[in-house]
Amino acid sequence: MPILHTVNKSPYERNSLDSAISHALKGSSVIMFEDGVYGAMKGTAHADKVSGAMKDVSFYVLGPDLKARGIDESKLIDGVKVVDYSGFVQLTVDNDKVSAWT
Amino acid sequence: MPILHTVNKSPYERNSLDSAISHALKGSSVIMFEDGVYGAMKGTAHADKVSGAMKDVSFYVLGPDLKARGIDESKLIDGVKVVDYSGFVQLTVDNDKVSAWT
Amino acid sequence: MKYVIQVNEGPYNHEASTSALNFVRAALDAGHEVFRVFFYHDGVNNSTRYTTPPQDDLHIVNTWSDLASKNDLDLVVCVAAAQRRGIVDEGEQERNGKDGNNIAPGFRISGLGQLVEGCIQADRLVVFGD
Amino acid sequence: MKYVIQVNEGPYNHEASTSALNFVRAALDAGHEVFRVFFYHDGVNNSTRYTTPPQDDLHIVNTWSDLASKNDLDLVVCVAAAQRRGIVDEGEQERNGKDGNNIAPGFRISGLGQLVEGCIQADRLVVFGD
Amino acid sequence: MSDIKNFLYLNRRAPYGTVYAWESLEVVLIGAAFEQDVSLAFVDDGVYQIMKGQDTSELGIKNFSPTYSALGDYDVQKIYVEKESLDARGLTVDDLLDLKYEDEDDDWAEKDSIKVVSADELAKIIDDSDVVLSF
Amino acid sequence: MSDIKNFLYLNRRAPYGTVYAWESLEVVLIGAAFEQDVSLAFVDDGVYQIMKGQDTSELGIKNFSPTYSALGDYDVQKIYVEKESLDARGLTVDDLLDLKYEDEDDDWAEKDSIKVVSADELAKIIDDSDVVLSF
């Protein structure tokens, strides 16, 4: 039963992304949105955790929140997929349930 | 000009305590209150940061917030001083200004 | 797919209510059903008709009201959370002896059971919060 | 010592307003002057008379009102923040065409300049927030 | 899908600093009337919610921690506490409230509600639930 | 104490996720009328507030980042950005808005407002201020 984990906080300010990754089983997905999108940037203190988890977990980031914050897609960690709100909705369809890590 | 730094967030959830300590000059004080009081407990993943900073910085914790959370004073890091609200007020008198780290 | 959406933060202070609005719109556009939007914690503050945000910013409360009226959405405000925070409809006004009310069109105040029942009825719960 | 106190969060959702109340009481008890309490961000939600918290919990809004009346406190609610969040007094009601108002006794709505002026006048600013 | 769903209440915040702990508990109490399969998990700062000896009298606010002890009467029997979260905070199960329920299948014997689980076990508990309510 | 105080606005939050960044800026703009000595510091996630290229159109909310470029006109000339915060986030000053002011003591020459400082330097800037407004 795949799960979509949602993360809406910056990994520098809160422990949300860490907690989501620690509790994400193989085959589940994580979407970063709101201030959570900073967790999708490469070359940062937190990027290795996302890259390291990527063999088991799929990572997504919400495009409209990236744009609001001036983050170009070229700055994203390789393998993180950008979705818009309709893609976010589709992820909640494709997974059996949603777990929010705030 | 000594400063009182206030920290009201748990060190596990937020970066407030870390930030306060990184910006506290010798002779300044830090008071932990609200969920910040968890930063005053010994034997934890964050206790070394407080102990390590203690030669330059004085640490205080708000008693009423400790009691609310069921933290006995025997569980505090050595050298952290417990104050009540009137002690908190006095700290804002004894220092020249207050900087809040939320 | 049938959704229940939980909104935990008030407008403007956190992005949560804007995110929930955008999610609900996208879900409706994709042909899904939004069975209920449940406002809890400070989320109850999405439902006051007393807001006057700057004209160059999104009017979050009116956007909820419009969305509800166009799509027949069930916008439920938790009564216990509303009482703590000062959201009042006509019934609450009378019950609690208030001299007015502030609930916006399209919202209704009801119990926490509406959230639990929504989770039982719906296929998915999506939470927007701090 | 002369204080200005800034309160950034609404009642109940965060401990900030309770902490501010306890601090203000202790400062007054110690003979200090509280020049102004300034409510900003979601802190403006401390000032609605529409709340009805459970009887076994602290009534935060009434506690502010009582404290203000007994100590002649200046409780100032930021107008820009209040407009975004639905806090209305008689003046704002008229200006923004609202059908009522919800401000509690002892609070007044005014501009951000009141915070800056408070910081200039006072010896200490103490911030309670999230 | 069966008529009864597995509800998991995922509690990650400390008490009193924010209202989430208390308003989560209010959902659990109301939700009990719906006779679903309910579990509570305490992880990250959520483990602080069930520390014993809480006394809010000096703050002047409501102490809601006694309510956790009543959960057994609401048929809440599965309370998971994450070991990694306890360890990082220097806590053991002895620091927590002694939460019990009466097992109707075992002649109403009083049993412990709290079960300490690893992060991996908690991940599976989340996986096994139908609805995750995060607070 | 002199008639003019040193005001330091300490910005530690990312924009849009919460309102603090924008409502901090509103205080700075209003405060300018009081002709105090004003500095802004961006530290921790606060450095994200002044990233260039912000575009909120797809979210449908107000983009307030152009306002930072107007700060020079409000006589805000000292904008400190913490190096450690930039480094941890993989950012350099090239990722930030190009904030300028006109120096009236130097024939209105256009100068950079942003100065990148270390955590130690920022600690001293905090120490040198009279009032610290934290957002």
Side-chain angles (χ1 to χ4, degrees):
Chain A
M1 304 219 300
I3 308 183
L4 177 65
H5 299 278
T6 66
V7 174
N8 71 334
K9 294 297 164 207
S10 156
Y12 301 95
E13 193 201 40
R14 304 264 192 124
N15 61 354
S16 315
L17 180 62
D18 276 355
S19 257
I21 291 176
S22 306
H23 298 93
L25 292 179
K26 196 175 167 72
S28 60
S29 298
V30 172
I31 182 166
M32 297 173 267
F33 73 117
E34 297 180 5
D35 288 346
V37 300
Y38 296 115
M41 290 178 77
K42 67 182 171 192
T44 77
H46 285 269
D48 285 352
K49 288 180 203 156
V50 172
S51 304
M54 214 174 270
K55 69 180 195 312
D56 289 334
V57 177
S58 304
F59 285 87
Y60 300 87
V61 63
L62 192 66
D65 275 320
L66 280 179
K67 283 192 184 149
R69 289 160 179 80
I71 306 171
D72 193 85
E73 295 190 14
S74 66
K75 298 220 163 195
L76 298 182
I77 297 164
D78 287 341
V80 174
K81 292 176 264 306
V82 180
V83 294
D84 59 8
Y85 264 100
S86 83
F88 187 178
V89 169
Q90 189 58 41
L91 284 168
T92 67
V93 173
D94 296 340
N95 289 275
D96 291 317
K97 57 186 162 282
V98 185
S99 180
W101 302 84
T102 52
Chain B
M1 305 219 298
I3 309 182
L4 177 65
H5 300 278
T6 65
V7 174
N8 71 334
K9 293 298 163 205
S10 156
Y12 302 95
E13 192 201 40
R14 302 264 192 126
N15 60 354
S16 315
L17 180 62
D18 277 354
S19 257
I21 292 176
S22 307
H23 298 94
L25 291 179
K26 195 174 167 75
S28 59
S29 298
V30 172
I31 182 167
M32 297 173 268
F33 73 117
E34 298 181 2
D35 287 346
V37 300
Y38 296 115
M41 291 178 78
K42 68 181 171 192
T44 77
H46 286 268
D48 286 350
K49 289 179 202 159
V50 172
S51 304
M54 215 173 269
K55 69 180 197 314
D56 289 334
V57 178
S58 303
F59 286 87
Y60 300 87
V61 63
L62 193 65
D65 275 320
L66 280 180
K67 283 193 185 147
R69 289 160 180 79
I71 305 171
D72 193 84
E73 294 190 15
S74 65
K75 297 222 165 194
L76 298 182
I77 296 164
D78 287 341
V80 173
K81 294 177 264 304
V82 180
V83 294
D84 60 8
Y85 264 101
S86 83
F88 186 178
V89 170
Q90 190 57 41
L91 283 168
T92 68
V93 173
D94 296 340
N95 289 275
D96 291 318
K97 55 186 164 282
V98 186
S99 180
W101 302 85
T102 54
Chain C
M1 192 107 321
K2 194 191 275 194
Y3 286 90
V4 59
I5 307 292
Q6 185 181 337
V7 181
N8 289 342
E9 296 296 329
Y12 306 105
N13 221 78
H14 296 81
E15 194 180 341
S17 47
T18 313
S19 300
L21 270 170
N22 283 323
F23 186 92
V24 167
R25 267 193 288 236
L28 294 170
D29 285 349
H32 299 297
E33 178 189 352
V34 175
F35 177 74
R36 181 167 293 151
V37 184
F38 191 84
F39 296 89
Y40 198 35
H41 308 306
D42 271 0
V44 301
N45 291 324
N46 281 277
S47 72
T48 165
R49 67 173 184 273
Y50 280 1
T51 67
T52 312
Q55 297 200 334
D56 61 352
D57 205 351
L58 181 66
H59 197 308
I60 295 178
V61 177
N62 286 359
T63 307
W64 280 119
S65 291
D66 291 348
L67 204 62
S69 111
K70 282 186 188 123
N71 300 279
D72 203 22
L73 288 185
D74 189 20
L75 306 183
V76 179
V77 178
C78 170
V79 61
Q83 287 176 344
R84 285 193 184 99
R85 293 167 182 84
I87 300 296
V88 178
D89 63 6
E90 283 186 19
E92 284 290 299
Q93 175 184 344
E94 200 165 317
R95 229 176 336 270
N96 299 314
K98 300 295 176 187
D99 60 0
N101 66 74
N102 58 351
I103 194 135
F107 292 86
R108 67 186 177 93
I109 294 179
S110 188
L112 274 170
Q114 297 279 310
L115 171 60
V116 179
E117 192 240 1
C119 292
I120 295 170
Q121 296 291 329
D123 303 307
R124 298 286 185 276
L125 165 71
V126 186
V127 181
F128 294 89
D130 181 54
Chain D
M1 193 104 324
K2 195 191 274 193
Y3 286 89
V4 59
I5 306 292
Q6 185 181 335
V7 181
N8 290 341
E9 296 296 329
Y12 306 104
N13 220 79
H14 297 82
E15 195 180 341
S17 47
T18 314
S19 300
L21 271 169
N22 284 323
F23 186 92
V24 167
R25 268 194 288 236
L28 294 169
D29 285 350
H32 299 296
E33 177 190 351
V34 175
F35 177 75
R36 182 166 292 151
V37 184
F38 191 84
F39 296 89
Y40 198 36
H41 308 306
D42 271 0
V44 301
N45 292 323
N46 281 277
S47 71
T48 167
R49 69 173 182 275
Y50 281 1
T51 66
T52 312
Q55 297 200 332
D56 61 352
D57 204 351
L58 181 65
H59 196 309
I60 295 178
V61 177
N62 287 359
T63 307
W64 280 119
S65 290
D66 291 349
L67 203 63
S69 112
K70 282 184 189 127
N71 300 279
D72 203 23
L73 288 186
D74 189 20
L75 306 183
V76 180
V77 178
C78 170
V79 60
Q83 288 176 343
R84 286 195 183 96
R85 292 166 182 85
I87 299 297
V88 178
D89 64 5
E90 282 185 20
E92 283 289 299
Q93 174 183 344
E94 202 167 313
R95 231 178 333 272
N96 299 314
K98 299 296 176 188
D99 60 0
N101 66 73
N102 57 350
I103 195 133
F107 292 87
R108 66 186 178 93
I109 294 180
S110 189
L112 274 170
Q114 298 279 309
L115 171 62
V116 178
E117 193 240 1
C119 293
I120 294 171
Q121 298 290 330
D123 302 306
R124 297 286 185 276
L125 165 70
V126 186
V127 181
F128 294 90
D130 181 55
Chain E
M1 196 170 291
S2 69
D3 284 353
I4 292 186
K5 286 190 176 181
N6 294 310
F7 275 64
L8 176 66
Y9 293 87
L10 190 59
N11 298 293
R12 294 183 51 245
R13 307 296 183 91
Y16 307 116
T18 54
V19 81
Y20 304 108
W22 173 221
E23 291 191 336
S24 167
L25 201 47
E26 289 191 319
V27 184
V28 175
L29 299 179
I30 297 283
F34 290 83
E35 303 195 332
Q36 304 292 303
D37 186 345
V38 170
S39 303
L40 269 59
F42 294 93
V43 57
D44 294 336
D45 281 354
V47 300
Y48 289 134
Q49 293 181 23
I50 50 174
M51 273 179 73
K52 59 186 174 198
Q54 297 178 31
D55 172 6
T56 59
S57 55
E58 289 184 26
L59 290 180
I61 60 177
K62 182 185 167 78
N63 175 2
F64 57 84
S65 68
T67 309
Y68 293 105
S69 302
L71 285 173
D73 303 333
Y74 286 82
D75 253 0
V76 176
Q77 307 177 349
K78 289 176 285 185
I79 298 182
Y80 301 105
V81 180
E82 192 184 78
K83 183 173 189 312
E84 286 83 346
S85 300
L86 288 175
D87 289 349
R89 288 161 184 77
L91 300 176
T92 70
V93 79
D94 292 337
D95 295 304
L96 306 181
L97 293 164
D98 190 22
L99 304 180
K100 305 276 193 190
Y101 72 98
E102 294 178 343
D103 188 348
E104 62 176 322
D105 298 330
D106 189 11
D107 198 23
W108 305 100
E110 204 176 58
K111 299 193 173 174
D112 288 328
S113 305
I114 289 182
K115 193 177 169 196
V116 177
V117 297
S118 69
D120 286 346
E121 289 171 305
L122 184 60
K124 290 189 187 72
I125 289 163
I126 298 172
D127 194 49
D128 287 341
S129 66
D130 295 311
V131 183
V132 183
L133 292 115
S134 306
F135 290 97
Chain F
M1 196 170 291
S2 70
D3 285 352
I4 291 187
K5 285 191 177 181
N6 294 310
F7 275 65
L8 177 65
Y9 293 87
L10 190 59
N11 298 293
R12 294 182 52 245
R13 307 298 183 90
Y16 308 115
T18 55
V19 82
Y20 304 108
W22 174 221
E23 290 191 337
S24 167
L25 201 47
E26 289 191 319
V27 184
V28 175
L29 299 178
I30 297 283
F34 289 83
E35 302 194 334
Q36 303 292 304
D37 187 346
V38 170
S39 303
L40 269 60
F42 294 93
V43 57
D44 294 337
D45 282 353
V47 301
Y48 289 133
Q49 293 181 22
I50 50 174
M51 273 180 73
K52 60 186 173 197
Q54 297 178 31
D55 172 6
T56 58
S57 55
E58 289 184 25
L59 289 180
I61 61 177
K62 182 183 167 80
N63 175 2
F64 57 84
S65 69
T67 309
Y68 293 104
S69 302
L71 285 173
D73 303 333
Y74 285 82
D75 254 359
V76 176
Q77 305 175 352
K78 289 176 286 186
I79 297 182
Y80 301 105
V81 180
E82 191 183 79
K83 182 172 191 308
E84 286 82 346
S85 300
L86 288 176
D87 289 350
R89 288 159 184 78
L91 300 177
T92 70
V93 80
D94 292 337
D95 294 304
L96 306 181
L97 292 164
D98 190 20
L99 304 180
K100 305 277 194 189
Y101 72 98
E102 294 178 346
D103 188 348
E104 62 176 320
D105 298 329
D106 188 10
D107 198 23
W108 305 99
E110 204 177 58
K111 299 193 173 173
D112 289 328
S113 306
I114 290 182
K115 193 176 170 196
V116 177
V117 297
S118 70
D120 286 346
E121 289 172 305
L122 185 59
K124 291 190 185 71
I125 290 164
I126 298 171
D127 195 49
D128 287 340
S129 66
D130 295 311
V131 184
V132 183
L133 293 115
S134 306
F135 290 97

